[in-house]
Amino acid sequence: MKINFVRIASVFHSYLQWKWRLGKMGKRVILVRPMMITNPKTISIGDYTVIADGCVLSDLAPGRGQDPKISLGKHCTIMYRFQCNAAQSVTIGDYVLMASNVLITDSDHVVESNGLPVTKNSKFNTRPVVIGNNCWIGQNVVILKGVTIGDNCIIGANSVVTRNVESNSIVAGNPARLIKKIS
């Protein structure tokens, strides 16, 4: 039996560094060198999930929204430079595969003509984001507020998802449109 000591060391290091900080961290989670994590107690990561270098997991509105705000399922593989912003909630199911540079956000900033500058305004337009089980999210995909993606979906590279995606669908484009159903 061949033992992969690098993987064991990575799992152990992730566990020691993040287990006590996150709201929930499942068994054998690998969280490699995140760029930024704000309010980690509002983040839940399921068993056997791997998140590569440079992720940003951001609670945009501490004290508001559901808990956990960012919930990643079991057995997910998330590649480099993943960014997830949540003011209300982002829920990602089990067995989800994400390529690099994916952005998921449940909110938009509020710009007021006679109000506070946008950089000082703590108001957001929010709606929860839900991604089902067994989905594949391609390179450079953006998933915006209020979107629900069903189970067994493929989101093509460089897509901007602005509306719900039915289960067993392949979508692509800007804005993302149905390419075909998976039988």
Side-chain angles (χ1 to χ4, degrees), residues 95-159:
Y95 298 96
V96 173
L97 173 62
M98 287 189 208
S100 299
N101 303 316
V102 171
L103 166 66
I104 300 172
T105 185
D106 73 347
S107 57
D108 293 332
H109 289 277
V110 173
V111 178
E112 299 170 328
S113 61
N114 294 325
L116 290 171
V118 69
T119 56
K120 295 185 181 207
N121 194 339
S122 63
K123 296 178 190 172
F124 295 100
N125 291 322
T126 65
R127 286 184 293 159
V129 173
V130 178
I131 298 174
N133 300 319
N134 194 38
C135 291
W136 175 24
I137 313 294
Q139 181 98 2
N140 301 319
V141 167
V142 176
I143 300 172
L144 298 176
K145 72 175 192 242
V147 168
T148 297
I149 297 174
D151 295 340
N152 310 311
C153 288
I154 299 171
I155 311 298
N158 301 308
S159 296

Side-chain angles (χ1 to χ4, degrees), residues 1 4 7-8 10-16 19 24-32 45-51 73-77:
M1 181 169 109
N4 186 339
R7 180 159 172 83
I8 291 169
S10 293
V11 170
F12 189 65
H13 183 261
S14 290
Y15 181 84
L16 286 178
K19 178 69 175 172
K24 178 187 176 282
M25 184 172 175
K27 295 183 298 191
R28 296 193 178 177
V29 169
I30 299 177
L31 179 57
V32 183
I45 302 174
D47 299 341
Y48 305 101
T49 290
V50 177
I51 304 174
K74 296 183 271 187
H75 298 276
C76 294
T77 301

